[in-house]
Amino acid sequence: MMTMVLLAMAMAAEPAPAAGLVPVPADPRELVVTGQRGRDRRSEMFVDAIVQPSQHDQIARFEDPLCPTSIGLAGQDAGIVERRIRAVAEAADVRTAKPGCRPNLVILVVDDRARAIAHWQKTRPDFFETLTKAEVAALADGSGPVAAWQIVHLKGADRRPVGRTDDGVVDYYVQNQVVPTRIGTTTQFEFYGSFLLVEASALEGKTLMQLADYAAMRTLARTDDRRGAAQPMPTILSLFGPDGADAAPPSLTHWDLGFLTGLYRLDPAFRANEQRKAIAHSLRRHVASAPADAADE
């Protein structure tokens, strides 16, 4: 049984590595997951619970190689978290970029959520590039110590940009593309950047592995952690839930990894309804193939 200890993180100029943190595997590519076998319709229930409403009838994801980074973590801790996110991504068939890449997945550890967002609105407006003023205000005013958001770009089927009006409605399409169908579309939404903000005080009792795996589930897909914590299947999305860290799994679960794998293996041009079906099908197979003794801790 792992011992839960304080995850010490500060935004000092030269933060000292936190002592006594729960260790992760020596090789971060050695992915550890926990979970249990699925039952009838549980895959559909899981997908329906955690996927946030799609934008323009499609579930977005990264298409460019993933490049994670963090702000506010001690150097040693940041490296552990970033390597773990890469390991999760690779296990889910998400392409990762080489070291020295331009970051497109950012973990932000801050003292105060509202103050940090107000500061970045002035100094880093690119963090909120495709969000409306109302959406940014909702991030700052939201309850809880955690927030996640994505910068989403609209592309044609050949991944060339597609124009949009100021209110987000498509105003022209890239030419010479396939005709849309009931299950497919000529356009697709892609993550250009994905952010997870966590207040440092909320990290007490969490491990670096839990933080990294939770971050992967919130940034590689647009997921709802509150609905995830409320549904019955085990998921790392419950990490900041009402029952606290002790009730959360010690790492990514088979349900979580199966969901991400399903999302990143499907045809990105599918419409949301078909995407959900494809993800649930992949998830069902993934959980069914999990070791018989795999269980929540």
Side-chain angles (χ1 to χ4, degrees), residues 7 12 14 18 21 23 35 49 52 68 88 93 96 123 136 138 158 171 179 183 185 203 215 219-220 255 286-287:
L7 181 58
E14 295 182 356
L21 285 169
Q52 289 195 20
V88 171
D93 286 345
T96 57
T123 62
V136 177
D158 58 2
D171 67 345
V179 176
I183 65 172
T185 175
L203 292 172
T219 56
L220 294 179
W255 290 94
H286 181 93
V287 174

Side-chain angles (χ1 to χ4, degrees), residues 41-295:
R41 291 196 56 77
R42 298 184 83 193
S43 297
E44 290 84 352
M45 292 169 56
F46 186 78
V47 173
D48 289 343
I50 71 170
V51 173
Q52 289 195 20
S54 55
Q55 187 177 34
H56 294 288
D57 197 30
Q58 198 171 75
I59 301 171
R61 70 183 188 190
F62 279 106
E63 293 296 335
D64 291 329
L66 190 71
C67 183
T69 192
S70 61
I71 298 173
L73 285 174
Q76 180 178 351
D77 294 345
I80 292 173
V81 169
E82 291 162 20
R83 289 192 297 273
R84 173 67 180 183
I85 291 175
R86 283 179 175 272
V88 171
E90 290 167 2
D93 286 345
V94 182
R95 293 186 301 148
T96 57
K98 295 180 180 180
C101 51
R102 176 189 177 279
N104 56 9
L105 186 159
V106 185
I107 300 173
L108 306 160
V109 179
V110 303
D111 290 329
D112 182 87
R113 167 181 178 163
R115 281 208 313 266
I117 290 176
H119 173 71
W120 288 323
Q121 279 185 277
K122 297 177 181 178
T123 62
R124 293 300 305 267
D126 55 308
F127 280 9
F128 313 101
E129 179 186 326
T130 59
L131 275 64
T132 64
K133 291 182 179 179
E135 288 171 332
V136 177
L139 285 175
D141 297 339
S143 61
V146 183
W149 69 94
Q150 286 79 33
I151 297 173
V152 181
H153 286 181
L154 180 61
K155 300 288 185 69
D158 58 2
R159 299 199 61 220
R160 287 185 293 173
V162 174
R164 286 190 290 179
T165 60
D166 290 340
D167 61 1
V169 177
V170 177
D171 67 345
Y172 65 87
Y173 289 91
V174 178
Q175 299 299 314
N176 301 320
Q177 305 220 355
V178 296
V179 176
T181 67
R182 285 197 311 148
I183 65 172
T185 175
T186 60
T187 59
Q188 62 191 58
F189 289 86
E190 300 180 8
F191 289 170
Y192 181 72
S194 192
F195 297 80
L196 175 72
L197 178 151
V198 184
E199 291 184 344
S201 60
L203 292 172
E204 183 174 354
K206 279 71 169 182
T207 69
L208 289 174
M209 180 179 287
Q210 285 178 313
L211 173 61
D213 289 1
Y214 176 87
M217 280 295 289
R218 294 300 306 277
T219 56
L220 294 179
R222 192 165 179 257
T223 54
D224 188 326
D225 62 334
R226 294 186 181 182
R227 285 173 55 86
Q231 57 81 46
M233 279 68 82
T235 173
I236 195 64
L237 289 173
S238 63
L239 183 62
F240 295 95
D243 296 329
D246 289 342
S251 69
L252 197 79
T253 71
H254 287 291
W255 290 94
D256 297 327
L257 183 58
F259 166 78
L260 291 175
T261 302
L263 173 62
Y264 279 86
R265 285 183 178 175
L266 58 76
D267 186 331
F270 277 1
R271 298 186 187 276
N273 187 48
E274 296 303 319
Q275 286 179 313
R276 288 173 183 265
K277 290 179 183 178
I279 294 170
H281 178 72
S282 177
L283 173 58
R284 188 181 304 111
R285 296 180 60 182
H286 181 93
V287 174
S289 67
D293 59 350

